Amino acid sequence: ECTMYVEVVDETPPVAICDQHTVVGLTLQSEVDVYAATFDDGSYDGCWIDSMAVRRMDGGDGCGLSQNDFGPYATFCCEDVGTTVMVEFRVWDEYQNYNTCMVEVEVQDKIAPQIATLPNDTLDCGDIPSEEDLDQLYGFPLVTDNCTYDLTHSTEYDIDQCREGMIVRTFMARDSNNVAISQQYIYI
């Protein structure tokens, strides 16, 4: 009779399987956290997966972040819209064996700017203002957006020889992917 002690050691890393291309949509906030499991596409291990983590390959510099280390999520921001961000996805087993794979992340901004409508008005035919006068008199509408936007405007005069008609002020707020339009009518 003989007694023998055997230590079973797992030295085989898990198999990391990534989504090769992932699309991330920004929310009403200018940043979004995407958890590591989002990038997993069926990773497995001979025993079991213990944990998953992710990190941005660029460290998040464009967003003013410092994400060089692996963590539970990667953060994406407005500055990432229209670019491809590489992330590294890592899986560990119970014995701290690990494997990694890379994911291309396309960041999209589907949230359009919100533009307030200025109130319409009626003016006397003797008081037809210039475009600059209109800007001073009525100002510009309030615009909100999760990312940066550009606000442009135009003024169209449709006034007949009797000095009656209307002025239409059109405001356009445009971000990287979306446009919002608002109009103000001034009747003469």
Side-chain angles (χ1 to χ4, degrees), residues 42-64:
S43 300
Y44 62 92
D45 185 61
C47 295
W48 60 80
I49 299 290
D50 183 59
S51 61
M52 300 176 179
V54 67
R55 72 179 184 97
R56 289 178 58 130
M57 300 289 292
D58 65 359
D61 293 339
C63 296

Side-chain angles (χ1 to χ4, degrees), residues 63-91:
C63 296
L65 305 169
S66 178
Q67 292 190 338
N68 294 311
D69 298 328
F70 283 96
Y73 57 84
T75 302
F76 301 93
C77 69
C78 292
E79 285 73 17
D80 294 324
V81 174
T83 67
T84 299
V85 179
M86 293 298 295
V87 298
E88 185 177 6
F89 171 74
R90 183 172 284 182
V91 292

Side-chain angles (χ1 to χ4, degrees), residues 1-42:
E1 184 175 313
C2 158
T3 302
M4 183 186 305
Y5 292 96
V6 178
E7 180 180 1
V8 178
V9 178
D10 179 2
E11 295 180 347
T12 305
V15 176
I17 303 174
C18 292
D19 284 332
Q20 292 182 359
H21 185 81
T22 299
V23 176
V24 171
L26 292 178
T27 64
L28 292 174
Q29 306 300 317
S30 60
E31 293 183 352
V32 64
D33 296 332
V34 180
Y35 285 84
T38 303
F39 304 108
D40 182 37
D41 196 21

Side-chain angles (χ1 to χ4, degrees), residues 115-118 138-143 149 151 153 169 171-172 182:
I115 185 169
T117 302
L118 292 175
Y138 296 106
F140 296 91
L142 175 67
V143 179
Y149 63 88
L151 178 66
H153 77 288
R169 297 176 76 211
F171 301 92
M172 184 182 314
S182 175

